[in-house]
Short mmCIF file of all heavy atoms in Angstrom, two decimals:
data_model
loop_
_atom_site.label_atom_id
_atom_site.label_comp_id
_atom_site.label_asym_id
_atom_site.label_seq_id
_atom_site.Cartn_x
_atom_site.Cartn_y
_atom_site.Cartn_z
N VAL A 1 4.71 -5.68 0.85
CA VAL A 1 4.84 -4.22 0.87
C VAL A 1 6.08 -3.79 1.64
O VAL A 1 6.57 -2.68 1.43
CB VAL A 1 3.58 -3.53 1.48
CG1 VAL A 1 2.33 -3.93 0.70
CG2 VAL A 1 3.43 -3.81 2.96
N LEU A 2 6.61 -4.68 2.49
CA LEU A 2 7.80 -4.32 3.27
C LEU A 2 9.06 -4.33 2.44
O LEU A 2 10.11 -3.84 2.86
CB LEU A 2 7.95 -5.30 4.44
CG LEU A 2 6.79 -5.33 5.44
CD1 LEU A 2 7.03 -6.37 6.52
CD2 LEU A 2 6.56 -3.96 6.06
N ASP A 3 8.99 -4.88 1.25
CA ASP A 3 10.17 -4.95 0.36
C ASP A 3 10.11 -3.93 -0.76
O ASP A 3 11.01 -3.86 -1.59
CB ASP A 3 10.27 -6.36 -0.26
CG ASP A 3 10.52 -7.42 0.80
OD1 ASP A 3 11.32 -7.17 1.71
OD2 ASP A 3 9.89 -8.49 0.70
N ARG A 4 9.08 -3.11 -0.79
CA ARG A 4 8.94 -2.14 -1.87
C ARG A 4 9.63 -0.81 -1.54
O ARG A 4 9.42 -0.27 -0.46
CB ARG A 4 7.46 -1.86 -2.19
CG ARG A 4 6.72 -3.07 -2.67
CD ARG A 4 5.33 -2.75 -3.20
NE ARG A 4 4.65 -1.68 -2.51
CZ ARG A 4 3.34 -1.70 -2.23
NH1 ARG A 4 2.58 -2.73 -2.60
NH2 ARG A 4 2.77 -0.69 -1.61
N VAL A 5 10.43 -0.31 -2.46
CA VAL A 5 11.06 0.99 -2.30
C VAL A 5 11.13 1.65 -3.67
O VAL A 5 11.63 1.05 -4.64
CB VAL A 5 12.49 0.88 -1.73
CG1 VAL A 5 13.13 2.27 -1.64
CG2 VAL A 5 12.49 0.19 -0.38
N GLU A 6 10.60 2.85 -3.77
CA GLU A 6 10.79 3.70 -4.95
C GLU A 6 10.94 5.13 -4.48
O GLU A 6 9.98 5.70 -3.95
CB GLU A 6 9.62 3.55 -5.93
CG GLU A 6 9.84 4.38 -7.17
CD GLU A 6 8.92 3.99 -8.32
OE1 GLU A 6 8.79 2.78 -8.61
OE2 GLU A 6 8.34 4.89 -8.91
N LEU A 7 12.15 5.66 -4.66
CA LEU A 7 12.48 6.97 -4.10
C LEU A 7 12.17 6.96 -2.61
O LEU A 7 12.69 6.14 -1.89
CB LEU A 7 11.73 8.06 -4.86
CG LEU A 7 11.97 8.13 -6.37
CD1 LEU A 7 11.09 9.15 -7.02
CD2 LEU A 7 13.44 8.42 -6.65
N ARG A 8 11.31 7.86 -2.14
CA ARG A 8 11.00 7.90 -0.72
C ARG A 8 9.75 7.12 -0.39
O ARG A 8 9.30 7.10 0.77
CB ARG A 8 10.81 9.34 -0.26
CG ARG A 8 9.58 10.04 -0.85
CD ARG A 8 9.37 11.43 -0.33
NE ARG A 8 10.35 12.35 -0.87
CZ ARG A 8 10.40 13.63 -0.59
NH1 ARG A 8 9.56 14.16 0.24
NH2 ARG A 8 11.32 14.40 -1.11
N TYR A 9 9.18 6.46 -1.42
CA TYR A 9 7.88 5.79 -1.25
C TYR A 9 7.99 4.25 -1.08
O TYR A 9 9.00 3.67 -1.49
CB TYR A 9 6.98 6.09 -2.45
CG TYR A 9 6.90 7.54 -2.79
CD1 TYR A 9 7.41 8.01 -4.00
CD2 TYR A 9 6.38 8.46 -1.89
CE1 TYR A 9 7.34 9.35 -4.31
CE2 TYR A 9 6.32 9.81 -2.20
CZ TYR A 9 6.82 10.26 -3.43
OH TYR A 9 6.77 11.59 -3.73
N ALA A 10 6.95 3.65 -0.59
CA ALA A 10 6.89 2.20 -0.47
C ALA A 10 6.36 1.62 -1.77
O ALA A 10 5.31 0.95 -1.78
CB ALA A 10 6.02 1.80 0.72
N GLY A 11 7.03 1.90 -2.85
CA GLY A 11 6.62 1.41 -4.14
C GLY A 11 6.13 2.53 -5.04
O GLY A 11 6.07 3.68 -4.62
N SER A 12 5.77 2.16 -6.25
CA SER A 12 5.26 3.16 -7.20
C SER A 12 3.87 3.64 -6.76
O SER A 12 3.22 3.01 -5.93
CB SER A 12 5.16 2.53 -8.61
OG SER A 12 4.17 1.50 -8.60
N ASP A 13 3.42 4.73 -7.37
CA ASP A 13 2.07 5.20 -7.07
C ASP A 13 1.07 4.09 -7.36
O ASP A 13 0.12 3.87 -6.60
CB ASP A 13 1.74 6.43 -7.93
CG ASP A 13 2.48 7.68 -7.44
OD1 ASP A 13 3.20 7.62 -6.44
OD2 ASP A 13 2.29 8.73 -8.10
N ALA A 14 1.24 3.39 -8.47
CA ALA A 14 0.32 2.32 -8.86
C ALA A 14 0.29 1.19 -7.82
O ALA A 14 -0.79 0.68 -7.47
CB ALA A 14 0.68 1.77 -10.22
N GLN A 15 1.46 0.82 -7.32
CA GLN A 15 1.52 -0.25 -6.30
C GLN A 15 0.85 0.19 -5.01
O GLN A 15 0.08 -0.58 -4.40
CB GLN A 15 2.97 -0.62 -6.03
CG GLN A 15 3.64 -1.39 -7.16
CD GLN A 15 5.11 -1.62 -6.87
OE1 GLN A 15 5.83 -0.67 -6.48
NE2 GLN A 15 5.58 -2.86 -7.03
N ARG A 16 1.15 1.40 -4.59
CA ARG A 16 0.60 1.90 -3.33
C ARG A 16 -0.92 2.08 -3.43
O ARG A 16 -1.65 1.81 -2.48
CB ARG A 16 1.33 3.17 -2.91
CG ARG A 16 2.80 2.93 -2.58
CD ARG A 16 3.55 4.18 -2.18
NE ARG A 16 3.60 5.17 -3.21
CZ ARG A 16 3.06 6.39 -3.11
NH1 ARG A 16 2.41 6.75 -2.01
NH2 ARG A 16 3.15 7.24 -4.10
N LEU A 17 -1.37 2.55 -4.58
CA LEU A 17 -2.78 2.72 -4.81
C LEU A 17 -3.50 1.37 -4.81
O LEU A 17 -4.59 1.24 -4.30
CB LEU A 17 -2.98 3.42 -6.16
CG LEU A 17 -4.33 3.99 -6.50
CD1 LEU A 17 -4.82 4.97 -5.46
CD2 LEU A 17 -4.28 4.66 -7.87
N ALA A 18 -2.86 0.36 -5.38
CA ALA A 18 -3.45 -0.96 -5.43
C ALA A 18 -3.66 -1.56 -4.05
O ALA A 18 -4.61 -2.34 -3.85
CB ALA A 18 -2.56 -1.89 -6.27
N ASP A 19 -2.84 -1.16 -3.07
CA ASP A 19 -3.07 -1.65 -1.69
C ASP A 19 -4.45 -1.29 -1.20
O ASP A 19 -5.10 -2.10 -0.51
CB ASP A 19 -2.04 -1.04 -0.74
CG ASP A 19 -0.62 -1.54 -0.95
OD1 ASP A 19 -0.42 -2.52 -1.68
OD2 ASP A 19 0.30 -0.93 -0.36
N ILE A 20 -4.89 -0.07 -1.52
CA ILE A 20 -6.21 0.39 -1.08
C ILE A 20 -7.31 -0.13 -2.00
O ILE A 20 -8.31 -0.67 -1.51
CB ILE A 20 -6.25 1.93 -1.01
CG1 ILE A 20 -5.06 2.49 -0.22
CG2 ILE A 20 -7.58 2.39 -0.41
CD1 ILE A 20 -5.01 2.07 1.23
N ASN A 21 -7.15 0.04 -3.28
CA ASN A 21 -8.19 -0.35 -4.23
C ASN A 21 -8.47 -1.85 -4.20
O ASN A 21 -9.61 -2.29 -4.51
CB ASN A 21 -7.83 0.07 -5.64
CG ASN A 21 -8.02 1.56 -5.86
OD1 ASN A 21 -8.84 2.21 -5.20
ND2 ASN A 21 -7.28 2.14 -6.80
N ALA A 22 -7.48 -2.64 -3.81
CA ALA A 22 -7.69 -4.08 -3.73
C ALA A 22 -8.78 -4.45 -2.72
O ALA A 22 -9.41 -5.51 -2.83
CB ALA A 22 -6.38 -4.79 -3.40
N LEU A 23 -9.00 -3.57 -1.74
CA LEU A 23 -10.02 -3.86 -0.75
C LEU A 23 -11.43 -3.91 -1.40
O LEU A 23 -12.35 -4.51 -0.85
CB LEU A 23 -10.03 -2.79 0.35
CG LEU A 23 -8.75 -2.76 1.20
CD1 LEU A 23 -8.79 -1.57 2.18
CD2 LEU A 23 -8.53 -4.06 1.95
N ALA A 24 -11.57 -3.26 -2.56
CA ALA A 24 -12.89 -3.25 -3.25
C ALA A 24 -13.17 -4.56 -3.95
O ALA A 24 -14.31 -4.81 -4.34
CB ALA A 24 -12.94 -2.09 -4.23
N THR A 25 -12.15 -5.40 -4.16
CA THR A 25 -12.34 -6.60 -4.94
C THR A 25 -11.97 -7.88 -4.15
O THR A 25 -11.99 -8.96 -4.72
CB THR A 25 -11.48 -6.55 -6.22
OG1 THR A 25 -10.11 -6.35 -5.88
CG2 THR A 25 -11.96 -5.42 -7.12
N CYS A 26 -11.68 -7.74 -2.87
CA CYS A 26 -11.35 -8.93 -2.07
C CYS A 26 -12.57 -9.81 -1.92
O CYS A 26 -13.66 -9.34 -1.56
CB CYS A 26 -10.90 -8.49 -0.65
SG CYS A 26 -9.29 -7.77 -0.55
N ASP A 27 -12.38 -11.11 -2.14
CA ASP A 27 -13.47 -12.05 -1.85
C ASP A 27 -13.71 -12.10 -0.35
O ASP A 27 -14.84 -12.11 0.11
CB ASP A 27 -13.11 -13.44 -2.38
CG ASP A 27 -13.11 -13.52 -3.89
OD1 ASP A 27 -13.85 -12.73 -4.52
OD2 ASP A 27 -12.37 -14.33 -4.46
N THR A 28 -12.62 -12.13 0.40
CA THR A 28 -12.71 -12.13 1.86
C THR A 28 -11.88 -10.95 2.37
O THR A 28 -10.67 -10.89 2.14
CB THR A 28 -12.13 -13.45 2.44
OG1 THR A 28 -12.84 -14.55 1.90
CG2 THR A 28 -12.28 -13.46 3.96
N LEU A 29 -12.54 -10.05 3.04
CA LEU A 29 -11.86 -8.85 3.55
C LEU A 29 -11.06 -9.21 4.78
O LEU A 29 -11.45 -10.08 5.59
CB LEU A 29 -12.87 -7.78 3.90
CG LEU A 29 -13.52 -7.04 2.75
CD1 LEU A 29 -14.70 -6.19 3.29
CD2 LEU A 29 -12.52 -6.16 2.04
N PRO A 30 -9.94 -8.54 5.00
CA PRO A 30 -9.22 -8.70 6.28
C PRO A 30 -10.02 -8.04 7.38
O PRO A 30 -10.91 -7.23 7.12
CB PRO A 30 -7.90 -7.96 6.02
CG PRO A 30 -8.25 -6.91 5.03
CD PRO A 30 -9.29 -7.53 4.13
N ASP A 31 -9.72 -8.39 8.61
CA ASP A 31 -10.35 -7.73 9.73
C ASP A 31 -9.75 -6.32 9.93
O ASP A 31 -10.44 -5.39 10.29
CB ASP A 31 -10.14 -8.52 11.02
CG ASP A 31 -10.78 -9.91 10.92
OD1 ASP A 31 -12.00 -9.98 10.78
OD2 ASP A 31 -10.03 -10.91 10.93
N ILE A 32 -8.44 -6.23 9.62
CA ILE A 32 -7.72 -4.97 9.80
C ILE A 32 -6.86 -4.73 8.57
O ILE A 32 -6.09 -5.63 8.18
CB ILE A 32 -6.82 -5.00 11.05
CG1 ILE A 32 -7.63 -5.28 12.30
CG2 ILE A 32 -6.02 -3.73 11.20
CD1 ILE A 32 -6.81 -5.67 13.53
N ALA A 33 -6.95 -3.54 7.99
CA ALA A 33 -6.00 -3.10 6.98
C ALA A 33 -5.11 -2.09 7.69
O ALA A 33 -5.57 -1.02 8.08
CB ALA A 33 -6.71 -2.48 5.79
N LEU A 34 -3.84 -2.45 7.92
CA LEU A 34 -2.95 -1.68 8.80
C LEU A 34 -1.83 -1.02 7.98
O LEU A 34 -1.07 -1.71 7.30
CB LEU A 34 -2.35 -2.59 9.86
CG LEU A 34 -1.44 -1.94 10.90
CD1 LEU A 34 -2.23 -1.00 11.80
CD2 LEU A 34 -0.76 -3.03 11.72
N SER A 35 -1.77 0.29 8.07
CA SER A 35 -0.69 1.01 7.39
C SER A 35 0.63 0.72 8.09
O SER A 35 0.70 0.66 9.30
CB SER A 35 -0.99 2.51 7.41
OG SER A 35 -0.03 3.23 6.67
N ILE A 36 1.70 0.58 7.28
CA ILE A 36 2.99 0.25 7.91
C ILE A 36 3.68 1.46 8.48
O ILE A 36 4.39 1.34 9.47
CB ILE A 36 3.92 -0.46 6.91
CG1 ILE A 36 4.29 0.43 5.74
CG2 ILE A 36 3.32 -1.77 6.45
CD1 ILE A 36 5.46 -0.07 4.89
N ARG A 37 3.46 2.65 7.88
CA ARG A 37 4.05 3.88 8.40
C ARG A 37 3.47 5.08 7.65
O ARG A 37 2.74 4.95 6.70
CB ARG A 37 5.58 3.89 8.31
CG ARG A 37 6.12 3.84 6.91
CD ARG A 37 7.57 4.31 6.81
NE ARG A 37 7.68 5.72 7.10
CZ ARG A 37 8.60 6.51 6.56
NH1 ARG A 37 9.49 6.03 5.74
NH2 ARG A 37 8.63 7.79 6.87
N GLY A 38 3.80 6.27 8.15
CA GLY A 38 3.39 7.50 7.48
C GLY A 38 4.49 7.97 6.56
O GLY A 38 5.08 7.19 5.83
N GLY A 39 4.78 9.25 6.64
CA GLY A 39 5.82 9.80 5.78
C GLY A 39 5.28 10.82 4.81
O GLY A 39 4.89 11.90 5.18
N TYR A 40 5.21 10.41 3.55
CA TYR A 40 4.81 11.34 2.50
C TYR A 40 4.30 10.53 1.32
O TYR A 40 4.80 9.44 1.04
CB TYR A 40 6.00 12.21 2.07
CG TYR A 40 5.68 13.14 0.93
CD1 TYR A 40 5.01 14.33 1.13
CD2 TYR A 40 6.09 12.82 -0.35
CE1 TYR A 40 4.71 15.18 0.07
CE2 TYR A 40 5.84 13.64 -1.43
CZ TYR A 40 5.14 14.82 -1.20
OH TYR A 40 4.86 15.65 -2.25
#
């Protein structure tokens, strides 16, 4: 995710959405899902 850039965003809407939705299908959940930054 640190290498993603699209306009002012950290990737496309689909990529950024997948970061969250992927938590619903993880076999093993992380202990912490940490946002890299705010913005818009």
Side-chain angles (χ1 to χ4, degrees):
V1 304
L2 299 178
D3 297 318
R4 296 189 327 218
V5 178
E6 182 164 312
L7 302 175
R8 68 177 73 180
Y9 311 115
S12 67
D13 287 358
Q15 288 175 313
R16 294 180 298 117
L17 193 57
D19 291 348
I20 308 299
N21 284 334
L23 297 174
T25 57
C26 286
D27 290 333
T28 303
L29 286 169
D31 300 296
I32 301 167
L34 183 67
S35 185
I36 63 167
R37 63 161 292 211
Y40 176 79

